[in-house]
Amino acid sequence: MLTGKTVIVTGAASGIGVATARLVRAWGGRVIAVDRHEPADPVDSYFAADLSDRAAIDALVEALPAGAHGLANIAGLPPTRPPAEVLKVNLVGLKHLTLGLVPKLADGASIVNLASLAGLDWAEALPAVRASEDLDFDGVEAFCRRHGIQGARSYVFSKEALIAWTHRNRWTWRDRGIRMNAVSPGPVETPILPDFVATLGARAEAEMAVMDRPGRPQDIAPVVGFLLSDASAWIRGANLPVDGGLHAHVLDRRHRL
């Protein structure tokens, strides 16, 4: 499904990023890996970058080759990290990298953002989501103070804003055939799953209790790969839950179906 395509995968050294990079290569594509750490798995090229730093991202954009057919924004920080760091990597840096790369992407390229079931209630956070639209690196600390973003809220808000940003850009680059979508996993067995359980507390425990099992990176990667492929060409601005039915469970209980 990805034969002949080149895909930039951020966070390619661990978790869902590793699984996505493996899948892209298995489906016939080339992987340009971006991470702070060099991937142990074979990739076609690797670029080290700190995605919380504007200068590092600008240097990365300059260094990356033109003509990539896909961008998988997988890199992210868990809610155990300081709130400003979480927002810089999960939201501000992701957007800065994406907007910087769009002019270098091939026509018809696909952008896939890794969101989360944690961002389900983005519409209830609209004032802060709208205020974050033009948020830059220098203003993150003040933004967190202004909107009470601390602890686990940093991760949840970063995903709420990312989902809204994905919806908003459904047709932004339609004249070039470039599309953007998001994937929202539920709890997934990655190295940072214990961080989520520890910081999200009762919410995470309740979610885990109703699931048959946590997700695995290889459950998520095929959906990312599908959205990167031409088979999803008419899917634009969507946020696909990949969570073993947990999203449906939440809606069922909320609306008393």
Side-chain angles (χ1 to χ4, degrees), residues 135-168:
L135 182 62
D136 62 18
F137 292 91
D138 296 332
V140 171
E141 296 273 5
F143 180 88
C144 289
R145 291 193 297 271
R146 188 178 311 117
H147 294 279
I149 295 174
Q150 54 187 322
R153 179 66 188 148
S154 62
Y155 181 84
V156 172
F157 175 76
S158 72
K159 299 305 183 179
E160 291 171 344
L162 181 57
I163 292 168
W165 190 66
T166 301
H167 291 329
R168 187 182 179 197

Side-chain angles (χ1 to χ4, degrees), residues 32 66 91 129 148 153 156 174 212 245:
I32 299 175
L91 182 64
V129 167
R153 179 66 188 148
V156 172
R174 187 168 53 176
D212 55 342

Side-chain angles (χ1 to χ4, degrees), residues 4 31 35 118 129 131 168 188-189 208 236 242 256:
V31 172
D35 203 294
V129 167
R168 187 182 179 197
V188 177
E189 289 180 344
M208 299 283 283
R236 302 167 185 169
V242 186
R256 300 180 181 178

Side-chain angles (χ1 to χ4, degrees), residues 38-54:
E38 186 169 0
D41 280 25
V43 293
D44 296 283
S45 56
Y46 162 65
F47 292 81
D50 179 355
L51 298 181
S52 69
D53 181 81
R54 175 170 41 206

Side-chain angles (χ1 to χ4, degrees), residues 13 15 29-30 50 53 55 59 71 82 89 104 114-116 146 158 165 180 206 211 228 237 245:
R30 297 178 67 256
D50 179 355
D53 181 81
L71 169 62
V89 173
K104 300 184 74 170
L114 193 74
S116 170
R146 188 178 311 117
S158 72
W165 190 66
M180 174 186 285
M211 300 181 74
L228 290 168

